[in-house]
Structure formats: C-alpha cells, structure tokens
C-alpha cells in the first residue's frame, strides 16, 4: 500500500509412449470398461490410497509413473517393464483396517497376482491371490490391518507390462468405522445466491456493501453468487471481504446490464486500502460504457468479460496501488490512470491508456509493446505455465467445481470454445462452515474429499494437512484461517496437483514459524506435469490484531505456481509495531522450477523474498520495505544497509525475473538508507528485466537498484530509479 506523499532433482527423462497395435486395444478396452460397473466401497469405508506415497518395481517410461495409479484420474496410468515379477506398493500413511481393493486395469492386465499387507514395510501377508484375473475393473473384498498395501504381479495377460489406471485401497483408520463425513450440502448463511427472478437484489447487495464498505479489519465475510441469466439495472458495489461471481461455466453465461464497482468514497477518494475483495466469472455491460475497479492489493479481477472499458482509478483520480487481472476480456480500453503498478495475465484488452511506475503483461492480447521504462510497460507474449483458478458453477441444478487445465505458453483467455479441465461435483467436497475444527477438516481430506471453505473466520488448533494428490482447497468470500498456539495453518505434501485458492491466512498472537508450507523440507518429486497452484491466497500479519510469524510462506515443492498473492506485514490497523507484529521473512522458495505470477510482498522485518531454488521465475513483483524500521541499526544486514526486498541466494545458478519494483517509506526514521532493492549473484543464468526502486516522498533512500547497479533515488520527487537489464 502506498502511504500518502536443498535438494535438487536429477535431470528429467523424456516421455516415451507405447505405439502400434496396443493403442487400438487400449481404445477398445476403455470403451468396454465404460460399461463395467464398479462395486462401491462399504459405507463405513473411505478411499485411503489416493494421493499417497507410492513406489513400484519399475516404470515403463516417464509418462507412466507409479503415482498415476493413485491420482484419482482414470485417464492416467502406471505401467511396468515388460517382465515378471513386478509390484506396486502404496503407503497409506498410518495403519488402517483395509476392507476392499479396486483394481482398474488397462489392456495390459495381470492374470496372476497377489494383494499383500504389511504394517512395517518388511513382513508381508497375503490378503488375496489369483491365477485367473479377468482384467477390467476388479473389486476385491479383503480384510486385515496394513499401512503398506502391495500388488505383486506374477503373470501377465499380454507381452507388455502390468498397467493400472487406478489402484484403490478402501478402509478405515484410527479404529473408526462410524459414519463418514458427508460431502456436499448447503453453502452456509454467508453465501447469497441470486437468480434473475430474485426480488430485491439491488437492496440486498447495497445492504452488504453498507456493512462491509469500511470494515477493513472486521469479521464479516460474504460471497454473492449469481445463477446464469441476465440481470438488469444492477450496480454491485463491493466492500471488504466480499466476492461476487457468476455461476455459469463461462463469464457470458451470467450477464449484468450494469456494473460491479469498487470506489474509494469511504477513504476520501484514496484507493490504496481497497484490499480483500474479488470479482469472477461475469459479463458486464457497464451503464456508462466503463466499469470502475479502483483497488489495491488482494483484489483479483478474474475470468471477467467487460463489454466496454475498465477504469482502475477512484473517482477523482486519487491514489491507487493495485492490482491484478487474469483470464479476462475487456473489449474497450483499460485506464489505470493513477494506478502505480498493475499485472495482467492471459487476457485480452482493447487498449491500455497509460502507466505510472510498473505495468506488466504476460499472455495478453492487445497489450502495449515492450517499452520499459518510458512508458513503464513490461510485456511478455505468453505466460510460461498457467492454470486458472478453480471456481464454483451450476451444471443444471447441481453445484460443481471446475478445475481448469494447465496451459503452457498461454495467451488470451482460457474460456473461448469448450473450457478445458475437470468438473468435480460438490458431493466430493467437504463444505466447511464456521465452527469446523482442523481435526474434522483433516479427516475429510483423509477420507478423499476436497475442501470448500464457506465465508467465515476459522481458528485452527492444529495444521490442516493436504497430503493427497489433486486435492482442491477453495475458499469463498475471503474465508480466513487463523492458526492458534503457533501452529502452521496449512501444509501441503510432496504430491501432485494440489490447488489452494481464495483464502486469507491471518497470523495468530503466538508466533508461527511458518503460516503456509507447500511441501516438506527436502521435497524433490517432479511435479512438472501436474504442479501445485497457490492462487489468491493472501497472508496477513497484524492489522486485525497482534500476530507474529517468522516466515509467512515457504515453497519446498518443485514446479509450484504461485499465481497472485499478497503477503503483508501490516503497516496500519491494530497490533502493529516493529516487534508487535514481528515477521522476519515474507516468502522463501526452496523448490526448483517455481514460477510466481503476480507477487506482492510487503513490509517484512528482514528479507521480503528469499529465493534459494534453481530455475525460479517471477513475472511482476511489488514490494514496500517496512515503514516502521526504528533506525538504521535495526535493518543493518552485516555490512549491507538494509535487507533486499528480493534476494536470490548466492548458490543459485539460474533465475529470471520481469517487471519487479521495490519502494521505501521509512517514516519513523527518514534518514535510513537501503543499499539496494534487489540482490542476486552475478552469473550468466541469473537475469532480471525491468527493475525499479522508488523513494516515496523522500522518506529514506535507495543507494542502488540491484547489487551495486543502478542510480540512487534522491530527494522528495518520488521518481523511480530503473535498470532495464541485469547483469
């Protein structure tokens, strides 16, 4: 916000593919399997194997890993070498009472195999064996206690290896054989669902806005959801912790002849504190031809179609410090006007009128040409890797969550033509409501459910563990998680394809060492085919009350995509002070091949971003150093004045960044000097494009931009110092 004036993975192998006659056989078998019903697991049992650690005696090639047999996707498979014997083994994570095994064979199945159980991964007992396996989908009723379950193949039906679409283990853990946590259900009291015939829509929307307009640190949380159709004469003004979204599969399914508006009347025309709100999946026909979206951090504008222009400044063109657009189409011009910085990804615009300090685009049709620093446009033709945020929608009368597919070198919106991705029924989600405990949330994940957090504030006394591949964790209405007793709020396992989206993590008063951890320390699995995504997940330390965290977000998993985050040590509100809301580090990246698109990290006591992993990339970075540093000594980093906003470790050999800015406003001691905003090793593989540092009103100064390169900021003119290319 602008104040007024490790371990490294081995080289990856290429993806081999089986060709020839077998491809035809596979197609026929897939068609036949569609008519083979699978017997459901017993009501008291749950799926224990999905997303768990799995190993095998061999893999046919890199495209058929063992993990594909427990990923919940009937379109991916494990296949072995073309020899006997072979095995695949899943670690359930804890001893369980196993009651059923479901084998979904590809064309290359086993006629002879054993199902074996072990509690210690050493001593094995046979739970089932056959010499006449039929292939297809086999449902085996078994019994026994096991942490490790192994399928040992002894005879193949074809010359090829053993090949499984899915290896599913059902049972119960912890001796609990009682009722399962139900999936689905209603969306709770703070989700308001409208259709075009709903009476009094404008009055209800106005009522929510009046409550939330200036409730910057309040507890109200709301999601306003609109069923497909056309809505006339609507002006939905959005206040704090309010999300608005259409319930169609595409934005044009839900059309407003009207506006979705964010302005700054509550703050005397200053939009620099218009945080924590969102608009998604709607088409707008603005009343006067231009919609107003005057926001700053943590206010995503996603999957929107504006049939007109978009004004990103408040009425009167007061200060604004946003912002983020993704997967959106704006038919007319986008006018940032007073916006200091903005990032737009994988979208289409009819034009862009101006830039102040840092306007960055990747994969945007109609974006202005590269011209940094004058005008300050950083433009990439495509986004290297992206996967749009999951969203709730209606398929007829049934709620589902659509999970868009990963795109490589994306350009333009993802929703033209037939949207690519996966639809998951709400019945496969635990719908989390205020009062739910971390114990229940974890049990739901272990049971095989995804998580949909309804709007509210959730205190957790233990970590929410997401250690099952492809789990979707989606928040509505800025659902907020507060860790008690110094625990980590959320941890993700070293597994494929977890999607975290739409959450606010608020530090508790007892220091947490980490608030969000993606992957365990030392994680090294290859997730390039199916990365974890962290989207619109915001972290706050202080502001709503005293909070502390040593490090806010740690990324250990390779290939993770962080797509729009604001990690903020509060500079205003309650519980704010150099030691009161102490938080030394914002983001630490230890994983390799991590991509950040839209990275906002501000005000940390030491490094805002530390990047230790190889092959990291950041497209757009916005930062302010901590305002409240009491003196030069408090930020002295050995012989270096101040901690860099963005530090790449000396050991790193490959890293790249585009459109990165750091600002200082040392209002407690304006004599503080910061050696540089960015620090990185000088190596051929470490590259930066379009960097800037700014002294806001002369409250403190930078000596350089990156390392000892770049001119110092000077005086009170608030003019950036820039570096176009480094080294």
């Amino acid at each position: 916000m602008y104040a007024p004036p490790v371990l490294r993975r081995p080289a990856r192998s290429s993806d081999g593919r089986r060709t020839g006659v077998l491809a035809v056989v596979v197609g026929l078998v897939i068609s036949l399997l569609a008519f083979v019903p699978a017997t459901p697991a017993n009501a008291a049992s749950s799926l224990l194997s999905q997303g768990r650690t799995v190993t095998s005696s061999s893999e046919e090639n890199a495209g058929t890993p063992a993990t594909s047999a427990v990923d919940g996707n009937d379109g991916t498979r494990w296949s072995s070498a073309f020899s006997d014997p072979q095995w695949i083994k899943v670690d359930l994570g804890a001893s369980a009472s196993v009651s059923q095994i479901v084998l979904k064979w590809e064309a290359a199945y086993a006629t002879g195999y054993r199902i074996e159980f072990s509690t210690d991964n050493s001593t094995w007992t046979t739970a089932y064996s056959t010499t006449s396996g039929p292939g297809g989908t086999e449902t085996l009723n078994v019994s026994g206690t096991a942490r490790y379950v192994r399928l040992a193949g002894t005879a193949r039906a074809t010359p090829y290896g053993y090949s499984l679409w899915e290896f599913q283990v059902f049972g119960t853990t912890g001796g609990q054989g009682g009722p399962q946590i139900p999936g689905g259900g209603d969306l709770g009291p703070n989700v308001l669902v409208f259709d075009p015939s709903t009476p009094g829509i404008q009055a209800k929307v106005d009522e929510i806005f009046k409550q939330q307009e200036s409730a910057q640190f309040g507890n109200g949380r709301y999601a306003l959801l609109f069923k497909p159709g056309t809505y006339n004469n609507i002006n939905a003004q959005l206040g704090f912790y309010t999300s608005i979204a259409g319930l169609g599969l595409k934005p044009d399914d839900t059309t407003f002849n009207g506006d979705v508006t964010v302005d700054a009347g509550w703050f005397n025309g200053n939009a620099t504190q218009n945080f924590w709100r969102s608009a998604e999946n709607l088409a707008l026909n603005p009343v006067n031809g231009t919609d107003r979206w005057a926001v700053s951090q943590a206010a995503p504008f996603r999957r929107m179609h504006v049939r007109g222009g978009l004004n990103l400044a408040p009425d009167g063109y007061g200060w604004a410090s946003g912002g983020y657009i993704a997967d959106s189409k704006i038919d007319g011009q986008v006018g940032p006007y007073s916006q200091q910085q903005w990032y737009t990804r994988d979208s289409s615009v009819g034009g862009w009128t101006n830039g102040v300090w840092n306007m960055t685009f990747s994969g945007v049709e109609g974006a202005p040409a590269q011209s940094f620093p004058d005008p300050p446009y950083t433009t990439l033709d495509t986004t290297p890797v992206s996967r749009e945020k999951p969203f709730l929608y209606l398929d007829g009368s049934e709620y589902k969550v659509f999970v868009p597919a990963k795109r490589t070198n994306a350009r333009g919106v993802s929703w033209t033509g037939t949207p690519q991705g996966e639809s998951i029924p709400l019945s496969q989600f635990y719908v989390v409501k205020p009062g739910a405990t971390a114990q229940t949330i974890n049990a739901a994940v272990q049971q095989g459910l995804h998580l949909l957090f309804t709007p509210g504030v959730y205190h957790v006394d233990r970590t929410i563990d997401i250690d099952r591949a492809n789990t979707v964790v989606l928040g509505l209405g800025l659902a907020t998680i507060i860790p008690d007793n110094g625990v980590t709020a959320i941890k993700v396992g070293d597994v494929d394809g977890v999607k975290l989206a739409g959450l606010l993590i608020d530090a508790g008063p007892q220091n947490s060492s980490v608030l969000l951890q993606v992957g365990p320390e030392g994680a090294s699995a290859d997730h390039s085919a199916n990365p974890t995504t962290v989207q619109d997940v915001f972290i706050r330390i202080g502001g709503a009350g005293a909070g502390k965290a040593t490090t806010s977000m740690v990324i250990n998993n390779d290939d993770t995509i962080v797509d729009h985050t604001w990690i903020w040590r509060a500079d205003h509100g309650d519980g704010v002070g150099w030691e009161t809301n102490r938080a030394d580090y914002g983001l630490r990246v230890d994983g390799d091949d991590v991509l950040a698109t839209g990275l906002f990290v501000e005000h940390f006591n030491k490094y805002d971003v530390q990047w230790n992993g190889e092959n990291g990339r950041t497209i757009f970075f916005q930062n302010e150093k901590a305002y409240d540093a009491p003196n030069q000594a408090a930020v002295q980093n050995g012989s270096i004045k101040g901690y860099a906003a963005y530090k790449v470790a000396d050991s790193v050999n490959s890293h790249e960044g585009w459109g990165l800015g750091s600002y200082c406003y040392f209002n407690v001691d304006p004599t503080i000097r910061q050696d540089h905003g960015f620090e990185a090793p000088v190596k051929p593989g470490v590259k930066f494009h379009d960097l800037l540092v700014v002294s806001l009103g002369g409250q403190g100064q930078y000596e350089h931009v990156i390392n000892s390169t770049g001119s110092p900021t000077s005086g009170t003119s608030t003019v950036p110092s820039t570096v176009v290319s480094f080294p």
Side-chain angles (χ1 to χ4, degrees):
M1 182 210 67
Y2 176 52
V6 192
L7 293 175
R8 304 289 175 251
R9 71 158 74 93
R12 295 169 177 167
S13 59
S14 61
D15 181 9
R17 294 180 180 272
R18 183 186 305 173
T19 59
V21 174
L22 182 60
V24 177
V25 177
V26 171
L28 291 172
V29 171
I30 292 171
S31 300
L32 291 172
L33 291 185
F35 297 95
V36 180
T39 304
N42 295 332
S45 296
S46 58
L47 178 59
L48 304 177
S49 52
Q50 188 167 311
R52 289 297 183 180
T53 300
V54 63
T55 52
S56 63
S57 54
S58 65
E59 295 175 358
E60 180 186 352
N61 56 54
T64 58
T67 52
S68 292
V70 295
D71 64 0
N73 185 346
D74 287 347
T76 61
R77 63 186 174 93
W78 163 72
S79 61
S80 74
F82 301 174
S83 62
D84 295 312
Q86 300 290 339
W87 55 263
I88 184 170
K89 177 180 65 180
V90 62
D91 177 0
L92 303 178
S95 289
S97 178
V98 179
S99 58
Q100 193 174 84
I101 306 291
V102 176
L103 305 175
K104 298 182 179 180
W105 293 103
E106 192 239 11
Y109 66 96
T111 55
Y113 65 88
R114 298 186 305 275
I115 299 295
E116 300 174 327
F117 290 173
S118 177
T119 57
D120 60 3
N121 202 25
S122 176
T123 302
W124 295 89
T125 60
T126 298
Y128 176 86
S129 66
T130 184
T131 58
S132 57
T137 297
E138 296 184 57
T139 300
L140 312 174
N141 293 317
V142 295
S143 64
T145 299
R147 171 172 173 171
Y148 303 90
V149 179
R150 183 169 67 187
L151 181 150
T154 55
R156 291 166 290 138
T158 75
Y160 303 104
Y162 299 89
S163 185
L164 281 168
W165 297 113
E166 285 294 297
F167 177 27
Q168 295 179 322
V169 180
F170 292 86
T172 57
T173 58
Q176 297 177 0
Q180 296 297 285
I181 296 168
D186 70 85
L187 299 176
N190 295 327
V191 175
L192 286 74
V193 180
F194 304 95
D195 65 44
S197 65
T198 302
I201 294 176
Q202 187 66 56
K204 190 61 181 179
V205 170
D206 288 346
E207 177 188 334
I208 299 298
F209 175 66
K210 183 177 180 181
Q211 177 183 323
Q212 298 300 117
E213 180 183 11
S214 59
Q216 184 172 176
F217 298 110
N219 290 323
R221 303 287 187 274
Y222 292 95
L224 311 178
L225 306 182
F226 289 78
K227 294 181 180 181
T230 300
Y231 298 78
N232 295 315
N233 304 313
I234 293 289
N235 180 20
Q237 299 184 79
L238 299 187
F240 288 98
Y241 313 109
T242 306
S243 297
I244 191 168
L247 286 170
L249 188 57
K250 296 183 178 183
D252 291 330
D253 293 341
T254 309
T255 297
F256 281 13
N257 289 319
D259 298 79
V260 172
T261 301
V262 178
D263 207 343
W266 75 278
F267 201 46
N268 299 315
N270 179 348
T272 60
Q273 292 184 24
N274 280 352
F275 313 138
W276 304 307
R277 63 201 76 196
S278 67
E280 300 183 50
N281 206 30
L282 292 165
L284 308 178
N285 291 310
V287 169
N288 68 356
T290 300
D291 192 63
R292 185 183 301 279
W293 186 255
V295 299
S296 287
Q297 291 82 356
F301 196 81
R302 286 186 182 268
R303 205 176 178 86
M304 296 287 287
H305 184 189
V306 181
R307 299 169 185 157
L310 187 64
N311 185 338
L312 304 178
D315 188 23
Y317 303 100
W319 288 307
S321 185
Y324 177 89
I325 293 172
D327 202 25
S328 294
K329 188 174 189 293
I330 294 91
D331 293 346
Q333 284 199 327
V334 179
Y337 303 110
S338 55
Q339 281 286 355
Q340 293 149 0
Q341 68 278 314
W342 199 276
Y343 175 52
T344 308
R345 178 183 63 72
D346 297 354
S347 294
S348 172
V349 299
W352 195 274
T353 61
N354 72 291
V356 177
W357 293 336
N358 182 16
M359 302 284 145
T360 301
F361 309 84
S362 68
V364 178
E365 297 169 344
Q370 170 71 32
S371 58
F372 187 90
D374 186 21
Y377 298 146
T378 299
T379 303
L380 288 74
D381 286 342
T382 62
T383 303
V385 186
S386 58
R387 181 170 60 204
E388 299 304 333
K389 178 184 172 185
F391 61 92
L392 188 69
Y393 79 104
L394 275 172
D395 184 0
S397 60
E398 182 183 6
Y399 283 108
K400 294 182 178 179
V401 171
F402 190 77
V403 182
K406 186 188 78 170
R407 297 201 291 169
T408 303
N409 296 322
R411 181 174 174 83
V413 300
S414 71
W415 39 269
T416 55
T418 301
Q420 300 299 302
E422 177 189 13
S423 288
I424 305 174
L426 191 64
S427 61
Q428 295 182 24
F429 282 78
Y430 172 44
V431 180
V432 192
K433 298 172 185 174
T437 65
Q439 181 178 4
T440 302
I441 293 167
N442 284 337
V445 174
Q446 293 299 310
Q447 186 179 306
L449 294 173
H450 305 277
L451 301 176
L452 181 74
F453 282 84
T454 64
V457 178
Y458 299 84
H459 284 265
V460 295
D461 61 357
R462 66 189 69 183
T463 298
I464 296 172
D465 288 307
I466 311 298
D467 55 2
R468 182 171 52 82
N470 299 307
T471 302
V472 177
V473 182
L474 177 61
L476 302 179
L478 280 294
T480 302
I481 299 172
I482 302 176
D484 296 329
N485 306 319
V487 301
T488 296
I490 299 175
K491 289 184 179 179
V492 175
D494 193 5
V495 297
D496 275 357
V498 172
K499 294 93 178 171
L500 304 180
L503 298 168
L504 171 61
I505 299 174
D506 208 350
Q510 185 172 332
N511 186 74
S512 293
S513 60
V514 178
L515 291 172
L516 171 60
Q517 180 177 311
V518 179
E521 185 176 349
S524 59
D526 181 347
H527 303 296
S528 57
N530 187 12
T532 284
T533 46
V534 181
Q535 299 178 284
D536 299 347
V537 174
F538 310 122
I539 295 179
R540 179 173 67 193
I541 301 95
K548 293 185 178 182
T550 304
T551 306
S552 294
M553 184 187 298
V554 174
I555 306 295
N556 291 319
N557 277 359
D558 294 344
D559 309 296
T560 301
I561 300 172
V562 180
D563 176 44
H564 190 226
T565 186
W566 185 36
I567 305 172
W568 184 57
R569 176 181 167 265
D571 61 281
H572 63 274
D574 293 332
V576 171
W578 185 249
E579 296 296 341
T580 305
N581 62 330
R582 181 87 194 186
D584 284 349
Y585 308 106
L587 170 66
R588 190 180 80 230
V589 178
D590 292 334
D592 293 344
D593 300 287
V594 172
L595 171 66
T597 52
L599 185 58
F600 299 73
V601 188
E602 296 190 302
H603 304 308
F604 286 85
N605 295 73
K606 293 185 178 179
Y607 292 120
D608 298 274
V609 173
Q610 294 175 285
W611 208 295
N612 304 319
E614 287 289 354
N615 305 317
R617 292 175 290 183
T618 295
I619 304 173
F620 183 88
F621 171 68
Q622 186 268 330
N623 165 264
E624 289 177 357
K625 295 303 299 174
Y627 292 171
D628 55 345
N631 49 53
Q632 188 74 51
V635 294
Q636 193 69 17
N637 182 14
S639 62
I640 299 173
K641 299 173 189 173
Y643 288 81
Y646 191 107
K647 160 72 172 175
V648 178
D650 294 343
S651 61
V652 169
N653 295 306
S654 177
H655 189 91
E656 195 160 10
W658 298 262
L660 283 65
S662 177
Y663 322 148
C664 72
Y665 184 76
F666 296 119
N667 62 320
V668 174
D669 182 359
T671 68
I672 291 175
R673 294 296 182 266
Q674 177 91 13
D675 264 349
H676 42 238
F678 303 90
E679 184 179 346
V682 181
K683 299 179 181 179
V686 178
K687 303 173 184 178
F688 287 93
H689 316 272
D690 302 354
L691 303 175
L692 68 135
V693 294
V694 181
S695 169
L696 305 179
Q699 303 293 294
Q701 302 288 344
Y702 290 92
E703 306 287 8
H704 304 283
V705 179
I706 180 168
N707 296 355
S708 57
T709 299
S711 301
T713 56
S714 60
T716 60
S717 58
T718 315
V719 173
S721 178
T722 63
V723 168
V724 173
S725 181
F726 177 88

